[in-house]
Amino acid sequence: MENHIKVSIKNLSLWYGSNQALDQITMDMPEKKITAIIGPSGCGKSTLIRCLNRMNDLIEGCRTTGEILIDGQNVYDRRVDAVEVRRRVGMVFQKPNPFPKSIYENIAYGCRIGGINTKQRLDKIVKESLKEAALWDEVKDRLSDSAMKLSGGQQQRLCIARTLAIEPEVLLMDEPCSALDPIATAKIEDLLRDLKRDYTVVIVTHNMQQAARVSDYTAYLYLGKLVEFGPTRQVFEKPEAELTERYITGRFG
Amino acid sequence: MKPKDALSCWIIFLGSAMALIGFGSAAGSFYIGDALLRLLFVLLGISLLLLLPTSFRLAKQKRSFCWMVAFAAISFALAYLVPSAPPKVGLRDYSIDASLMKFMISSLALVITGPVAASAGFGPLFNFTKHAHQASAYCFLTIAILLILYPLGLIISEISVNGLPGITWEFLTQDVSKHGAEGGIFPALVGTILLIGLTALIALPLGIGCAIYLQEYAKRGRLVRVIRTAVNILQGTPSIVHGLFGLAVFVPLFGISLLSGALIMGFLTLPIVIRTSEEAIRSIPQEIREGSYALGATQWQTIRKVVLPPALPGVITGVVLGLGRAAGETAPIMFTAVYFMGARVPGSLLDPIQALPYHLLELTRYWGAYPVEQNAWATAFLLLAIVLGINAGGIILRERYRQEF
Ligand SMILES: Nc1ncnc2c1ncn2[C@@H]1O[C@H](COP(=O)(O)OP(=O)(O)O)[C@@H](O)[C@H]1O
Ligand SMILES: [Mg+2]
C-alpha cells in the first residue's frame, strides 16, 4: 500500500469479562481513505471500531491487549488520556443521538468543552461544519430549533457535523445508515466521498453494496477474527478466503 | 343493546353511584335521607335479581349466579338496616352516639357494596357485546374519577369557604395574641417560608449530588446498596421519629431553632429528592452520554451539560414534592424549631420560629376554650394555599424547561 498509514492495529484482542470478542486483529488503515468493516452481526465490528477511540473504556469488565497506533502513537499507552484520543478520533453512532439541545448547541458543544467560547468563532465553526455535512441549507434558518425536531437522516448528518466540528483526524462510523431510508443513505454516501479528502474514515456496514460503493479498503471480520483485509475491489472480486466469498455472495450460513 | 346488557350497565351505574353516595355520607358532607337510601338498596337488589335468569342460563357462570344471589340478599338486608335518624356530623360535634355509629356503618357498607355489586354486574358481561363492555367500563371509570376528585373538592371548598373571610391584611401582618383568638399569624407565615427555603438549601445540593453519585459514578457495588437501603429506610421513617431524632441530636447543638428544624426537614425531604432525581437521571438514554464522551467530554462535563439539563424537569418535580411535604409537616419541627406564641420573626438561624402547621395544631387545641375558629380556618386556608402554590410553581417550572426541548 503506497499511502501513509494512519491507524495501525497490532495483535488486538479484547474480552468482555471472560468472553473474548476480538482475537489477535492486525491491520493497517491508510490515511485519507475509507476503510469498511463488514461481517455478520455479533462478529465484533462495533467492538473493533470502539477500540479506536477507546469507547470500550466505559464498559465495565472490558480488557484489551495489543496496540493501536495512530500516527505511530499507541492510544492504549498508559500515558495517553482517553479524552484526548476521542478528540482526535471522532465517532458517529448507529442510531442518531443528537443532544436534546438546539441545532446550534449540538455543534458548538464539542468546541465549548474544548475551550472555544467566543461567539464569533463558534458561529463560524457551526456554519462550516454544517456545510461540510451537507446540512447547512436545510437548517440555516432554524439553528435555534431543537435538534430533536429534525428527521432521522438530518439528525445523523447533524451528528456527523458535530463530530467534524472538533476537527478529528480519524472519523469512525458504526453503521451510520442502518436507521435511515434510501434517500438519506444516498446523501450520507455522497458525503462520505467528500469527507475522504480531509479525513481517514472507518465505516462499519452490513450493507455489501454500500461497502463496495464507498470504500477503498475492506476488512471482513468473522467471530472476532480478521478473515480478510485488502483493497475493496480485490476483496469483492477475488477474495482469498472462502468464508469471505460466501459472505459477499450471500451464500452465507 | 340487548336488555341484559342494559341491565348490567344499570347495575354498574347504580352500584357506582351508591358508592359515591356512601363516600359522601361517610365524609359527613351530605345525607340523602333514609327513604331514598332504602329505595336505592331495594333497586339494586331487584336489578340483581332480574339478572339471575340470564346468569343461570349461561351454565358456565354458576359462580356469578351465586354472587348475584348473595348481593341481592345483602342489598335487601341493608335496606332494612338504614338508620332512622341521620345525625349531624361536623367538626364541631365530637360526641359519637349510637345513631352516628349506625350511620357510619351503613355508609361504609355502601362504599363497599357499591363497587362489589358493580363488579358482580361485570361477571355475566363476559359473553356480552363489545358495546356493553365499552359503555359500562366508561361509566365505571367516570365514577371512579369522581370518587377521587370528590374528597379533594370537598377539602378545598370547605377550607376556602370557612377560611377565606379570615384572610385580612391584619391577619397576615400581625402577631399572635390571646391564644390565637385575635391578632394574626405574621411570625408563623415568615417562619414557614424561611423553614422551607432553608430546607431546600440543605436538601437540594445534597439530594441531587447523591443521586448523581448513585447513578453516574457508582452504579453497583456494596456501598451503593448500603446507601440505597439507607435512603429507603429514611423515607419510611415516621416523621415523629425524625422529630425525636432532631431533639436528641440537633437541639443540644443548636437549641430549638430554625437551623435544627431545617436540618430535620432536610432529612425528611432528602429521600424524595434523591429518588426522583435518580429516576430522572436514569431516564436519560445511554446513547446521549456516549455521544458526549465521543466528542472528548470528561465524565463531569457530560453529566453537567448533557445529562442534567434534560433531567432537570424530573429533578424539579422531586424537589417540589419534597418541599410540599415539608411545608405541611408538624411532627418533625414541634420539638426542634417552633414555639406557639413567644417566637417572633427569627433574627438568626439559631432563633426559634413559629410555623403554620404547628400554629394550626395549637389553635385546634384551644377550640372551644377560646374563640379561635375563624383564625384556625384562615390558617388552614393559608397553609393549603402555600402547599398548592409550591406544587403549582413546580409544575410551571417543569413545563418551562420541558418546552425548550
Ligand atoms: N457491552 C458488552 N458487554 C458484553 N459483551 C458484549 C458487549 N458488547 C458486545 N458484546 C459481545 O461482543 C460480541 C461482538 O459484539 P459487537 O461488536 O457489538 O458485534 P457487531 O457490531 O459486529 O454486531 C458479541 O458477541 C456481543 O455479545
Ligand atoms: Mg454493531
Side-chain angles (χ1 to χ4, degrees):
Chain A
M1 295 166 204
E2 68 283 9
N3 295 82
H4 172 66
I5 300 300
K6 183 74 184 175
V7 182
S8 174
I9 302 173
K10 290 189 172 150
N11 294 323
L12 182 74
S13 296
L14 182 144
W15 291 262
Y16 291 116
S18 59
N19 193 5
Q20 183 163 16
L22 295 178
D23 188 6
Q24 297 285 331
I25 307 265
T26 298
M27 62 192 279
D28 291 332
M29 298 172 182
E31 186 168 31
K32 298 197 177 159
K33 297 283 177 203
I34 299 180
T35 303
I37 299 177
I38 59 173
S41 53
C43 71
K45 304 182 296 291
S46 301
T47 305
L48 176 61
I49 203 175
R50 287 165 60 96
C51 285
L52 300 182
N53 64 344
R54 288 184 59 179
M55 284 302 276
N56 288 325
D57 288 16
L58 303 172
I59 295 170
E60 237 171 289
C62 178
R63 196 164 52 83
T64 40
T65 62
E67 290 184 335
I68 295 177
L69 307 175
I70 295 182
D71 286 334
Q73 187 192 30
N74 182 10
V75 300
Y76 276 99
D77 191 291
R78 205 167 289 158
R79 284 160 299 177
V80 173
D81 182 1
V83 168
E84 286 310 312
V85 174
R86 291 181 198 136
R87 295 193 75 81
R88 289 172 61 197
V89 184
M91 180 158 192
V92 176
F93 295 81
Q94 182 167 356
K95 214 176 109 198
N97 59 348
F99 303 129
K101 300 173 186 285
S102 69
I103 294 172
Y104 183 97
E105 281 306 321
N106 258 277
I107 306 214
Y109 178 77
C111 303
R112 286 194 201 278
I113 58 174
I116 298 173
N117 271 316
T118 54
K119 181 159 179 353
Q120 222 178 353
R121 283 188 69 189
L122 285 177
D123 284 350
K124 189 160 162 275
I125 292 172
V126 169
K127 185 171 175 181
E128 280 171 4
S129 313
L130 282 171
K131 277 188 169 162
E132 223 177 341
L135 190 60
W136 174 252
D137 289 331
E138 289 162 60
V139 301
K140 63 178 179 228
D141 301 322
R142 46 179 180 140
L143 291 177
S144 56
D145 276 11
S146 168
M148 309 311 262
K149 286 187 202 144
L150 297 174
S151 73
Q154 288 173 325
Q155 286 188 1
Q156 194 61 303
R157 275 179 285 149
L158 181 73
C159 291
I160 294 174
R162 174 174 90 179
T163 308
L164 298 180
I166 58 169
E167 299 180 341
E169 300 155 32
V170 181
L171 193 58
L172 310 176
M173 299 180 144
D174 190 352
E175 302 190 22
C177 303
S178 68
L180 306 183
D181 63 80
I183 293 173
T185 303
K187 276 190 183 161
I188 291 195
E189 285 183 15
D190 287 343
L191 178 59
L192 280 171
R193 289 187 198 99
D194 294 338
L195 291 177
K196 185 162 88 164
R197 260 180 278 140
D198 301 311
Y199 304 90
T200 305
V201 180
V202 184
I203 179 169
V204 170
T205 175
H206 54 196
N207 179 339
M208 284 318 110
Q209 286 78 36
Q210 186 172 57
R213 275 196 303 267
V214 300
S215 71
D216 303 298
Y217 294 88
T218 298
Y220 175 61
L221 223 58
Y222 182 67
L223 292 179
K225 290 196 174 73
L226 183 66
V227 175
E228 179 139 4
F229 177 57
T232 298
R233 282 190 71 173
Q234 185 194 315
V235 172
F236 275 83
E237 280 164 17
K238 38 180 191 317
E240 284 164 12
E242 198 202 331
L243 261 177
T244 320
E245 189 179 351
R246 277 171 47 199
Y247 183 69
I248 286 170
T249 53
R251 283 183 285 113
F252 184 81
Chain B
M1 207 187 265
K2 295 179 211 158
K4 58 180 182 181
D5 293 1
L7 196 59
S8 277
C9 291
W10 160 244
I11 290 178
I12 289 160
F13 170 76
L14 198 65
S16 311
M18 285 173 79
L20 194 62
I21 291 164
F23 211 83
S25 312
S29 62
F30 65 81
Y31 187 64
I32 60 165
D34 303 338
L36 211 50
L37 201 54
R38 277 209 185 102
L39 183 66
L40 276 176
F41 273 122
V42 171
L43 268 178
L44 188 62
I46 292 176
S47 314
L48 287 166
L49 284 181
L50 280 178
L51 209 53
L52 279 185
T54 322
S55 40
F56 191 63
R57 234 179 297 133
L58 303 169
K60 273 182 238 154
Q61 312 212 326
K62 281 216 180 82
R63 196 145 28 98
S64 98
F65 173 73
C66 297
W67 281 115
M68 225 49 89
V69 176
F71 281 113
I74 292 175
S75 295
F76 287 124
L78 280 174
Y80 284 97
L81 280 178
V82 168
S84 45
K88 237 175 75 82
V89 213
L91 202 57
R92 266 149 260 207
D93 310 296
Y94 279 113
S95 60
I96 294 181
D97 55 20
S99 68
L100 178 62
M101 285 300 284
K102 241 173 123 186
F103 163 78
M104 296 287 270
I105 290 168
S106 78
S107 43
L108 280 180
L110 269 181
V111 173
I112 295 162
T113 47
V116 177
S119 59
F122 265 117
L125 270 179
F126 285 118
N127 285 2
F128 288 9
T129 64
K130 280 184 282 189
H131 299 291
H133 274 294
Q134 171 74 15
S136 51
Y138 181 76
C139 179
F140 191 72
L141 293 177
T142 308
I143 288 179
I145 295 281
L146 288 179
L147 268 178
I148 292 165
L149 287 182
Y150 176 72
L152 180 69
L154 194 69
I155 290 169
I156 292 180
S157 65
E158 192 88 337
I159 289 182
S160 302
V161 165
N162 289 305
L164 214 47
I167 305 284
T168 59
W169 183 245
E170 286 72 37
F171 179 72
L172 291 176
T173 53
Q174 281 178 5
D175 262 6
V176 187
S177 64
K178 302 235 170 84
H179 300 284
E182 283 173 21
I185 47 147
F186 182 64
L189 185 59
V190 173
T192 286
I193 291 172
L194 286 177
L195 189 67
I196 295 171
L198 199 57
T199 302
L201 277 185
I202 293 168
L204 220 76
L206 270 180
I208 296 176
C210 192
I212 291 174
Y213 178 80
L214 287 175
Q215 277 302 314
E216 298 288 324
Y217 284 94
K219 285 193 177 152
R220 53 195 130 232
R222 186 172 301 161
L223 179 66
V224 178
R225 235 175 302 141
V226 170
I227 295 176
R228 284 243 163 77
T229 314
V231 170
N232 285 345
I233 292 173
L234 203 59
Q235 183 156 30
T237 310
S239 52
I240 187 73
V241 176
H242 280 277
L244 290 174
F245 172 76
L247 180 64
V249 176
F250 294 133
V251 171
L253 289 173
F254 309 118
I256 294 199
S257 65
L258 175 59
L259 184 59
S260 300
L263 284 171
I264 279 304
M265 284 296 200
F267 279 140
L268 196 80
T269 49
L270 210 48
I272 305 176
V273 176
I274 292 175
R275 283 268 189 106
T276 42
S277 304
E278 265 199 275
E279 210 55 57
I281 291 171
R282 205 187 348 245
S283 72
I284 306 303
Q286 187 62 23
E287 289 93 52
I288 288 183
R289 294 187 178 85
E290 290 202 330
S292 169
Y293 288 126
L295 291 170
T298 60
Q299 185 168 20
W300 176 240
Q301 284 170 327
T302 302
I303 291 169
R304 207 170 65 80
K305 300 203 167 150
V306 174
V307 176
L308 282 187
L312 212 54
V315 173
I316 290 173
T317 314
V319 170
V320 165
L321 279 176
L323 291 183
R325 176 165 177 216
E329 281 285 353
T330 314
I333 52 171
M334 61 197 282
F335 311 124
T336 55
V338 291
Y339 285 171
F340 174 45
M341 301 255 287
R344 304 255 166 272
V345 173
S348 82
L349 287 180
L350 297 178
D351 286 344
I353 55 169
Q354 293 187 27
L356 288 176
Y358 184 70
H359 189 73
L360 186 59
L361 176 71
E362 286 295 334
L363 287 184
T364 48
R365 219 179 263 176
Y366 289 116
W367 202 288
Y370 298 92
V372 292
E373 290 91 341
Q374 183 60 74
N375 274 358
W377 280 116
T379 308
F381 178 80
L382 205 58
L383 187 56
L384 190 70
I386 287 178
V387 172
L388 291 183
I390 291 176
N391 282 303
I395 292 171
I396 291 168
L397 262 178
R398 189 179 65 195
E399 291 308 313
R400 268 265 299 283
Y401 277 106
R402 182 169 292 164
Q403 261 165 23
E404 261 174 51
F405 294 106

